[in-house]
């Protein structure tokens, strides 16, 4: 176990260097989606860890909010107070959002926190169990428009179609800027159809599949995309690599890449008017070398197993490793990178404890997933 962990740490250091080579020279980075606190699912976002990560990866500022905290009642008040304290401690690098529960006096809590320095609102319909046609949303959007603060709303897994109802709120309150988290994958095509081309509506990049970001870029203009990690769920260097490589594969130019990394979010944070979106980029047809397509398929099968902390009894990593033996596609360098990542991931996975402290098991599974995620990013973003 220790040997595999040390090898994994060395690999992460190598990929940190790869990330530095791929970042535009002198690029600013703004992370539009981070959490601090403790979630009821066991995930922990630690202030010192986030601060170290920002320094290590050159991240200038972040939007930050609390998790679905054990002490979330009443009204996320305790978590919001901690967020405000973290923001003050950061000296301006962390920009606090107030998290709301629509069932617990959300307007009073929003006003309380906005008056104390919060600069945005976080909504999570899956965690807080509300739909986007909920009449209690209108006063929240109205307040955001009045105070000129953005709303960041969960748009990832676990939701029914949300585009029509969300678009109605945007149309009713056009002065309320909106960030749809996780590239809006819950309803991506419909969200892009209803909200694409609207200045002041953004989608963040915090997803695990590169295909989702490639799908996003072909549907909305680059002015509507903001880089985000979803820390502590999303981790570096994969979070930045997936955003960078998909943006370039979608044929964004250098300035557009820089705007995704920081420029668009800076305008939100600084209260500047949103730019009118340009035409989407990207391609409708995705081409991929066959060996890398097979690897991506098997790694997609591995992901839910790791998330639920199961062993690889199916043998999907072995299948992905065998696919690395393909010598006919002209991508030997990338296949060797993938092989190295997956060989270490398999050792880590086999050593994952079956019992014991649940937090230790979660951290072990996440360390293993980081390797697999990097391998999948390479597999998907290597051009045919």
């Amino acid at each position: 176990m220790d040997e595999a962990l040390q090898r994994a740490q060395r690999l992460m250091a190598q990929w940190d260097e790869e990330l530095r080579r791929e970042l535009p020279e002198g690029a600013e980075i703004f992370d539009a989606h981070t959490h601090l606190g403790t979630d009821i699912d066991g995930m922990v976002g630690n202030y010192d860890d986030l601060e170290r990560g920002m320094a290590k990866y050159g991240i200038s500022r972040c939007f930050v909010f609390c998790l679905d905290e054990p002490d979330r009642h009443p009204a996320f008040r305790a978590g919001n107070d901690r967020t405000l304290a973290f923001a003050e401690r950061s000296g301006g690098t962390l920009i606090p959002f107030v998290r709301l529960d629509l069932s617990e006096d959300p307007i009073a809590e929003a006003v309380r926190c906005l008056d104390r320095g919060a600069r945005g609102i976080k909504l999570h319909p899956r965690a807080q169990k509300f739909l986007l046609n909920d009449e209690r949303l209108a006063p929240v959007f109205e307040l955001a428009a009045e105070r000129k603060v953005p709303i960041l709303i969960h748009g990832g897994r676990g939701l029914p179609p949300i585009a029509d109802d969300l678009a109605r709120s945007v149309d009713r309150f056009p002065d309320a800027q909106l960030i749809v988290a996780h590239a809006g994958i819950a309803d991506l095509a419909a969200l892009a159809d209803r909200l694409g081309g609207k200045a002041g509506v953004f989608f963040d990049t915090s997803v695990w599949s590169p295909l989702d970001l490639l799908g996003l870029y072909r549907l909305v203009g680059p002015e509507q995309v903001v880089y985000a990690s979803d820390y502590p769920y999303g981790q570096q260097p994969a979070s930045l690599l997936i955003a960078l490589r998909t943006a370039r594969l979608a044929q964004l130019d250098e300035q557009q890449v820089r705007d995704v990394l920081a420029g668009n979010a800076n305008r939100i944070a600084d209260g500047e008017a949103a730019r009118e979106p340009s035409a989407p980029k990207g391609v409708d047809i995705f081409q991929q070398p066959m060996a890398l397509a097979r690897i991506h398929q098997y790694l997609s099968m591995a992901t839910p197993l790791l998330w639920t902390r199961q062993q690889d009894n199916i043998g999907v990593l072995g299948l992905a490793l065998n696919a690395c033996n393909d010598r006919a596609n002209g991508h030997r360098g990338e296949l060797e990178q993938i092989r190295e990542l997956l060989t270490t991931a398999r050792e880590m996975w086999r050593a994952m404890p079956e019992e014991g402290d649940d937090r230790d098991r979660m951290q072990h599974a996440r360390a293993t997933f980081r390797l697999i995620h990097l391998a999948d990013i390479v597999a998907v973003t290597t051009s045919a």
Side-chain angles (χ1 to χ4, degrees):
M1 165 59 186
D2 289 342
E3 185 178 341
L5 181 58
Q6 290 172 6
R7 187 156 46 250
Q9 291 169 342
R10 288 195 297 270
L11 274 174
M12 286 298 105
Q14 292 173 22
W15 280 95
D16 284 342
E17 289 303 314
E18 179 66 28
L19 171 62
R20 291 186 181 94
R21 286 191 291 270
E22 296 195 21
L23 280 167
E25 185 176 357
E28 183 184 0
I29 303 168
F30 188 125
D31 191 338
H33 187 150
T34 68
H35 312 81
L36 289 175
T38 301
D39 198 277
I40 56 174
D41 68 7
M43 190 63 70
V44 176
N46 177 271
Y47 177 90
D48 292 331
D49 183 57
L50 178 59
E51 187 177 55
R52 282 192 298 269
M54 291 176 68
K56 180 176 181 179
Y57 295 100
I59 298 169
S60 60
R61 293 192 289 178
C62 299
F63 292 144
V64 65
F65 25 86
C66 67
L67 286 155
D68 198 13
E69 310 277 339
D71 61 356
R72 60 195 177 279
H73 304 297
F76 282 104
R77 189 170 301 154
N80 289 330
D81 284 345
R82 288 190 291 268
T83 299
L84 291 167
F86 289 137
E88 183 176 4
R89 177 181 170 187
S90 76
T93 59
L94 300 183
I95 298 172
F97 279 37
V98 50
R99 183 164 180 160
L100 300 180
D101 186 334
L102 295 188
S103 66
E104 297 184 352
D105 206 359
I107 300 305
E109 178 63 8
V111 169
R112 183 184 78 88
C113 292
L114 291 171
D115 287 347
R116 293 182 56 199
R119 291 165 57 187
I121 294 170
K122 167 67 186 292
L123 297 171
H124 202 306
R126 176 174 59 81
Q128 271 58 72
K129 298 180 174 60
F130 64 87
L131 298 175
L132 274 295
N133 62 358
D134 195 310
E135 62 184 14
R136 296 171 297 178
L137 276 174
V140 176
F141 273 80
E142 184 177 19
L143 179 64
E146 175 189 323
R147 293 293 192 100
K148 305 295 185 186
V149 297
I151 294 173
L152 187 147
I153 189 165
H154 175 78
R157 64 181 182 85
L159 294 179
I162 60 174
D164 289 345
D165 292 322
L166 196 53
R168 277 190 282 271
S169 293
V170 169
D171 290 341
R172 184 177 175 186
F173 302 102
D175 290 335
Q177 290 194 326
L178 177 70
I179 304 169
V180 183
H182 314 304
I185 62 172
D187 201 13
L188 174 54
L191 282 166
D193 181 62
R194 295 297 305 274
L195 300 177
K198 286 185 179 290
V201 177
F202 305 88
F203 296 80
D204 84 31
T205 65
S206 60
V207 298
W208 66 88
S209 172
L211 292 175
D212 286 326
L213 290 185
L214 292 173
L216 176 68
Y217 284 122
R218 61 178 280 273
L219 296 172
V220 304
E223 296 82 4
Q224 290 190 263
V225 182
V226 292
Y227 164 70
S229 70
D230 192 25
Y231 172 86
Y233 296 93
Q235 296 283 327
Q236 303 295 1
S239 173
L240 276 164
L241 276 171
I242 193 174
L244 274 172
R245 289 193 168 193
T246 53
R248 289 185 171 132
L249 200 57
Q251 302 174 348
L252 272 66
D253 64 34
E254 190 76 0
Q255 186 56 53
Q256 289 168 334
V257 171
R258 290 176 182 271
D259 285 342
V260 168
L261 290 175
N264 297 334
N266 275 331
R267 295 180 72 86
I268 300 171
D270 296 339
E272 298 178 22
R275 292 174 177 161
E276 287 296 326
S278 59
K281 292 203 168 184
V283 295
D284 290 331
I285 298 174
F286 176 66
Q287 294 182 318
Q288 187 180 30
M290 185 58 69
L292 297 175
R294 293 182 62 220
I295 290 168
H296 170 65
Q297 174 195 357
Y298 297 133
L299 298 186
S300 296
M301 295 169 66
T303 297
L305 295 175
L306 266 176
W307 283 1
T308 53
R309 283 166 256 166
Q310 299 180 57
Q311 285 293 337
D312 181 16
N313 295 322
I314 300 171
V316 290
L317 280 197
L319 294 171
L321 279 163
N322 289 343
C324 293
N325 294 328
D326 189 324
R327 300 184 181 279
N329 66 29
H331 295 286
R332 294 306 308 161
E334 289 85 357
L335 289 173
E336 288 306 315
Q337 286 180 320
I338 292 170
R339 186 196 305 278
E340 187 175 27
L341 288 163
L342 295 186
T343 298
T344 304
R346 184 166 63 176
E347 293 176 14
M348 290 281 291
W349 202 341
R350 287 172 173 170
M352 186 168 68
E354 296 284 346
E355 299 177 348
D357 184 88
D358 198 52
R359 184 167 294 179
D360 288 343
R361 295 181 68 239
M362 176 187 289
Q363 291 175 346
H364 190 110
R366 283 171 54 75
T368 307
F369 176 71
R370 290 178 72 190
L371 299 166
I372 291 173
H373 194 203
L374 282 169
D376 192 48
I377 293 168
V378 175
V380 174
T381 59
T382 297
S383 299

